[in-house]
Amino acid sequence: MCDLRRPAAGGMMDLAYVCEWEKWSKSTHCPSVPLACAWSCRNLIAFTMDLRSDDQDLTRMIHILDTEHPWDLHSIPSEHHEAITCLEWDQSGSRLLSADADGQIKCWSMADHLANSWESSVGSLVEGDPIVALSWLHNGVKLALRDQQSF
């Protein structure tokens, strides 16, 4: 079950959406710890969940849910090797940053402007440092990420 709440006037939370989908066995799907979640201006919700294979390997997944079509859950194998610590949408809601506890950052973009097709075209690594927060600069200037070893 997915119970999503939005802030309302007076600091209370209004229930914005509830959906239920098939139950997954605990042996294959487990919540990410910590859980990362982000809501875009396009009403797309990104959240993390880990997928455990039969041989106990974990795949860190990012799921994209369109609240207008909640039955179309799109899952992305993130290629993060450590727990995903944060997700952050850009101002247009068409790009998503993901970062993990090992310092890996990935930028996901909609392929052909479709909410069910995502690709990671760029990323960066801040080796050994966990990323605890991300933010977009919304001034239209391109941002290049570099670590000190690149200089």
Side-chain angles (χ1 to χ4, degrees):
M1 181 179 345
C2 183
D3 181 356
L4 302 171
R5 297 176 187 264
R6 292 186 197 172
M12 300 296 293
M13 300 291 279
D14 285 341
L15 180 61
Y17 200 81
V18 174
C19 62
E20 292 186 26
W21 52 78
E22 67 186 69
K23 301 275 186 208
W24 293 318
S25 69
K26 290 183 180 181
S27 62
T28 57
H29 291 83
C30 51
S32 300
V33 179
L35 174 70
C37 183
W39 196 314
S40 81
C41 63
R42 292 182 179 208
N43 282 328
L44 297 176
I45 300 169
F47 63 96
T48 58
M49 184 177 287
D50 295 338
L51 175 64
R52 187 180 307 278
S53 66
D54 291 336
D55 56 359
Q56 300 301 311
D57 288 336
L58 277 181
T59 301
R60 312 278 181 191
M61 303 293 289
I62 298 173
H63 302 285
I64 308 291
L65 175 75
D66 182 347
T67 58
E68 295 175 17
H69 304 283
W71 50 87
D72 290 332
L73 180 69
H74 184 69
S75 301
I76 307 165
S78 71
E79 300 174 8
H80 284 283
H81 300 292
E82 295 296 325
I84 299 170
T85 55
C86 49
L87 298 170
E88 183 71 26
W89 290 101
D90 74 342
Q91 191 173 17
S92 70
S94 61
R95 291 182 297 172
L96 177 70
L97 289 176
S98 63
D100 68 22
D102 202 30
Q104 185 178 31
I105 302 168
K106 290 183 165 274
C107 181
W108 300 92
S109 302
M110 287 184 181
D112 299 321
H113 305 286
L114 299 173
N116 64 354
S117 183
W118 294 84
E119 59 190 6
S120 175
S121 57
V122 66
S124 185
L125 177 65
V126 182
E127 199 165 334
D129 288 331
I131 307 296
V132 296
L134 291 171
S135 184
W136 289 89
L137 297 178
H138 297 297
N139 60 4
V141 176
K142 290 185 178 183
L143 177 66
L145 299 172
R146 299 182 83 167
D147 58 17
Q148 289 183 333
Q149 293 138 355
S150 299
F151 294 109

